[in-house]
């Protein structure tokens, strides 16, 4: 195959956003499965590979793939900003009438994209979620932790959150425009998008094994995602802290009554164990409540700062557009003036 010219692609019907971070081993398999699926749709498309500050050969491999795959568009971030930030960068730059987000590890099947697109068009849906009906390829810990996560967010944020629906989804242009218009801050799309209330549907699929490489969502990031999900969409933890504080007040009043009775009956021998337990209990309650309050204050602080969640180093589509505009300007300058 011959290399393609670095020219902006035509308007597209479908954009596919793929956050990528140190996926040099998975990229060849991703291209081998994703490209035939999209070519078979028979519609103009683009694939936005958002390189989230990779430190391996991922940028070089993406460049090589683009020379043979004209629909591939590379958006490189200046530093590693996180999966959700990379997804935000892709959604904000996608040009398609429909936008699909999918991870590079191929645990979510690209072959389901035409089914998503067909369902959205035939039923006039703005969102189509990919729901993991079979997670047998995940480890037992992964399955249990995922079940706990979805149970928790559905109880705290609301039942509008589809269970076992990750970041494999299709969005219409109105949904993408709505997301783009939101303030620039950390987003948890698996909760944010359902909360918007757009007409939605689901397709079910079997979650596959990671095609290569290692997971980019270890336990620490999973816990942080759960914490972001809860503090972004629910004030229940604050109310829980208030309830614990009220219960502590009742306990304190009980200890006060018990102390007065002990003093009246002359039974006032010091109790070291009960004193220490009481101090530890109320100290733990206070620190726990302050910690919950601190999480919400930290989110307010971050929102007030209004710092961008990502910074783009370059975008091959924008670079090509600038080159074309510069070439047209040079031609206009060099053209002879009409007499």
């Amino acid at each position: 195959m011959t290399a393609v010219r670095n020219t902006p692609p035509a308007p597209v019907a479908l954009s596919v956003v793929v956050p990528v971070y140190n996926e040099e081993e998975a990229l060849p398999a991703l291209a081998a499965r994703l490209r035939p699926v999209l070519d078979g749709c028979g519609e103009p498309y683009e694939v936005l590979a958002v390189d989230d500050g990779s430190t391996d050969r991922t940028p070089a491999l993406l460049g090589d793939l683009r020379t043979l795959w004209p629909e591939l568009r590379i958006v490189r971030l200046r530093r590693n900003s996180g999966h959700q930030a990379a997804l935000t960068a892709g959604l904000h730059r996608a040009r398609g009438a429909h936008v699909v987000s999918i991870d590079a590890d191929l645990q979510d099947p690209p072959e389901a994209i035409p089914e998503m697109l067909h369902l959205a068009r035939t039923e006039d849906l703005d969102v189509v979620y990919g729901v993991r009906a079979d997670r047998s390829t995940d480890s037992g810990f992964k399955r249990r932790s995922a079940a706990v996560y979805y149970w928790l967010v559905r109880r705290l944020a609301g039942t509008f959150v589809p269970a076992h629906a990750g970041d494999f989804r299709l969005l219409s242009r109105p949904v993408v425009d709505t997301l783009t218009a939101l303030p620039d801050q950390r987003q948890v799309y698996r909760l944010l998008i359902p909360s918007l209330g757009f007409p939605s549907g689901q397709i079910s699929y079997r979650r596959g094994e990671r095609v290569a490489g290692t997971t980019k969502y270890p336990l620490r990031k999973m816990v942080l995602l759960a914490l972001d999900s809860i503090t972004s969409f629910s004030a229940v933890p604050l109310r829980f802290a208030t309830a614990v504080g009220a219960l502590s007040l009742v306990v304190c009043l009980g200890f006060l009554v018990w102390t007065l009775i002990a003093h009246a009956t002359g039974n006032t021998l010091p109790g070291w164990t009960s004193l220490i337990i009481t101090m530890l209990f109320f100290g733990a309650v206070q620190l726990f409540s302050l910690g919950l309050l601190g999480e919400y204050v930290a989110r307010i602080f971050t929102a007030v700062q209004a710092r961008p969640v990502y910074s783009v180093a370059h975008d091959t589509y924008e670079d090509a557009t600038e080159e074309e505009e510069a070439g047209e300007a040079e031609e206009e300058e060099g053209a002879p003036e009409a007499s």
Side-chain angles (χ1 to χ4, degrees):
M1 291 186 287
T2 59
V4 299
R5 293 180 60 191
N6 191 29
T7 57
V12 296
L14 177 66
S15 296
V16 179
V17 177
V18 188
V20 178
Y21 177 64
N22 289 349
E23 295 286 5
E24 62 177 358
E25 298 177 358
L27 283 178
L30 173 68
R33 284 183 59 181
L34 181 59
R35 185 175 184 179
V37 170
L38 299 180
D39 288 343
C41 291
E43 301 184 46
Y45 69 88
E46 65 175 355
V47 176
L48 285 82
V50 184
D51 180 10
D52 189 20
S54 297
T55 56
D56 61 358
R57 295 185 60 250
T58 294
L61 289 177
L62 286 174
D64 293 341
L65 286 173
R66 188 172 183 275
T67 61
L68 303 176
W69 192 3
E71 292 83 5
L72 179 61
R73 173 180 170 187
I74 304 170
V75 178
R76 179 162 175 79
L77 305 187
R78 297 185 186 279
R79 64 175 180 84
N80 178 242
S81 302
H83 180 271
Q84 296 297 299
L87 185 55
T88 300
L91 292 176
H92 285 188
R93 283 166 172 73
R95 301 180 300 123
H98 289 89
V99 181
V100 172
S101 58
I102 187 172
D103 290 338
D105 57 16
L106 292 178
Q107 288 189 286
D108 303 324
E111 293 78 11
I113 293 177
E115 181 182 356
M116 286 180 161
L117 191 59
H118 176 73
L119 182 63
R121 289 173 172 172
T122 55
E123 299 191 11
D124 196 22
L125 302 176
D126 287 301
V127 184
V128 178
Y129 300 103
V131 177
R132 302 155 181 172
D134 184 349
R135 305 189 65 150
S136 58
T137 57
D138 290 337
S139 65
F141 173 77
K142 181 71 173 180
R143 291 195 299 271
R144 287 189 291 271
S145 61
V148 170
Y149 169 80
Y150 286 105
W151 175 84
L152 187 61
V153 296
R154 285 170 64 86
R155 289 291 298 271
L156 298 182
T159 55
F160 61 84
V161 180
H164 298 285
D167 289 315
F168 182 39
R169 66 178 75 85
L170 178 142
L171 307 175
S172 68
R173 174 49 52 183
V175 180
V176 176
D177 290 341
T178 300
L179 295 175
T180 304
L182 293 175
D184 191 13
Q185 54 185 274
R186 291 185 302 176
Q187 307 288 4
V188 183
Y189 287 108
R190 62 186 66 188
L191 275 70
L192 174 60
I193 293 173
S195 71
L196 297 177
F198 283 92
S200 63
Q202 300 180 357
I203 66 162
S204 300
Y205 66 93
R206 181 179 182 273
R207 185 167 169 83
E209 296 182 357
R210 167 175 268 275
V211 66
T214 58
T215 179
K216 305 305 184 295
Y217 254 95
L219 178 61
R220 180 181 66 85
K221 289 189 176 181
M222 290 169 58
V223 172
L224 291 177
L225 176 63
L227 187 59
D228 278 345
S229 301
I230 294 170
T231 55
S232 296
F233 287 88
S234 176
V236 171
L238 287 178
R239 299 190 183 103
F240 174 75
T242 302
V244 172
L247 178 62
S248 301
L249 177 61
V250 173
V251 175
C252 284
L253 292 175
F255 271 109
L256 177 61
V257 172
W258 174 75
T259 302
L260 292 175
I261 294 174
H263 178 74
T265 58
N267 187 18
T268 56
L269 292 176
W272 182 87
T273 302
S274 61
L275 177 64
I276 292 299
I277 291 175
T278 303
M279 292 177 61
L280 290 176
F281 172 74
F282 289 110
V285 168
Q286 291 173 1
L287 291 175
F288 178 72
S289 301
L290 286 174
L292 288 177
L293 183 61
E295 286 294 331
Y296 285 89
V297 172
R299 297 191 70 85
I300 296 172
F301 175 70
T302 302
V304 169
Q305 285 181 314
R307 295 177 179 173
V309 295
Y310 63 87
S311 177
V312 175
H314 70 84
D315 180 340
T316 53
Y317 170 70
E318 294 179 354
D319 294 344
T321 302
E322 291 174 0
E323 290 177 6
E324 185 176 80
E325 291 176 351
E328 292 176 353
E330 290 178 358
E331 291 179 359
E332 291 178 358
E333 292 176 358
E337 295 184 0
S339 57

